[in-house]
C-alpha cells in the first residue's frame, strides 16, 4: 500500500495513466497512431520479455506501430503539415482563410466581430451559436 491513500502500486500507476490520457486535448492526425503504439507495443514487449523462448515475430509486431508512426509523421511533415496541427487550429485557420479570400480586399478589422471562445467544440456559456 502507498501511504494513506489505500492504493497498491499497480492501482496508483493505472490511475496516473488514466489521468494523463484524460488530459490529452491536442487532436491531430498523429494521435490515433500514437495510441495504437501504446496499445499494441506495451503488451507485446511485456509478453516478449516475460515469456521464455518467445518468437522474434513478436518483437517485430511490437516495433511495427512505431515504424508506421514515424513514417506517417515524416510523410505528413513533407507533404501536408496542416494535418500535424490540432483540430482547433485547423478550424480557426479555415475561418481566417474564408475571411481573406484571394482577390478580395482585406476586411477592416474594426468591422469584424471577435470569434467566440470554443471549448471541446462547444461555445462557452453566455455565447449564442448561429
Amino acid at each position: 500500500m502507498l501511504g494513506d491513500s489505500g492504493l497498491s502500486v499497480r492501482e496508483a500507476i493505472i490511475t496516473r495513466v488514466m489521468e494523463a490520457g484524460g488530459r490529452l486535448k491536442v487532436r491531430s492526425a498523429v494521435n490515433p497512431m500514437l495510441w495504437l503504439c501504446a496499445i499494441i507495443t506495451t503488451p507485446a514487449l511485456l509478453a516478449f520479455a516475460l515469456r521464455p523462448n518467445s518468437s522474434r515475430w513478436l518483437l517485430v509486431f511490437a516495433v511495427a506501430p512505431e515504424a508506421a508512426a514515424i513514417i506517417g509523421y515524416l510523410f505528413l511533415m513533407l507533404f501536408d503539415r496542416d494535418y500535424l496541427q490540432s483540430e482547433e487550429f485547423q478550424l480557426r485557420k479555415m475561418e481566417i482563410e474564408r475571411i481573406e479570400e484571394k482577390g478580395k480586399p482585406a476586411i477592416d478589422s474594426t468591422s469584424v466581430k471577435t470569434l467566440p471562445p470554443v471549448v471541446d467544440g462547444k461555445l462557452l456559456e453566455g455565447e449564442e451559436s448561429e
Side-chain angles (χ1 to χ4, degrees):
M1 298 285 175
L2 292 176
D4 296 332
S5 66
L7 294 175
S8 69
V9 174
R10 180 179 177 200
E11 290 171 339
I13 291 172
I14 291 171
T15 303
R16 292 263 179 159
V17 169
M18 296 298 284
E19 287 174 359
R23 286 189 301 235
L24 182 64
K25 297 295 181 194
V26 177
R27 294 182 184 104
S28 70
V30 180
N31 280 16
M33 197 56 135
L34 295 177
W35 279 108
L36 180 68
C37 290
I39 291 170
I40 292 178
T41 302
T42 306
L45 287 177
L46 285 172
F48 183 78
L50 297 177
R51 288 186 57 182
N53 301 325
S54 57
S55 172
R56 297 286 178 200
W57 284 107
L58 186 58
L59 190 59
V60 171
F61 180 71
V63 176
E66 280 78 12
I70 291 169
I71 291 169
Y73 181 82
L74 292 174
F75 177 82
L76 290 173
M77 199 166 101
L78 294 174
F79 295 108
D80 201 352
R81 290 183 181 205
D82 287 339
Y83 284 112
L84 296 176
Q85 301 294 334
S86 69
E87 183 180 358
E88 183 178 343
F89 176 84
Q90 289 181 22
L91 292 173
R92 296 293 183 179
K93 182 180 175 188
M94 288 185 339
E95 288 174 0
I96 292 170
E97 286 175 352
R98 288 187 185 208
I99 291 172
E100 298 176 346
E101 289 180 356
K102 292 183 179 180
K104 294 189 178 181
I107 299 173
D108 182 26
S109 62
T110 58
S111 66
V112 178
K113 292 182 181 179
T114 58
L115 297 173
V118 176
V119 175
D120 293 332
K122 297 180 182 175
L123 294 176
L124 292 179
E125 292 181 24
E127 302 290 337
E128 294 181 17
S129 67
E130 296 176 6

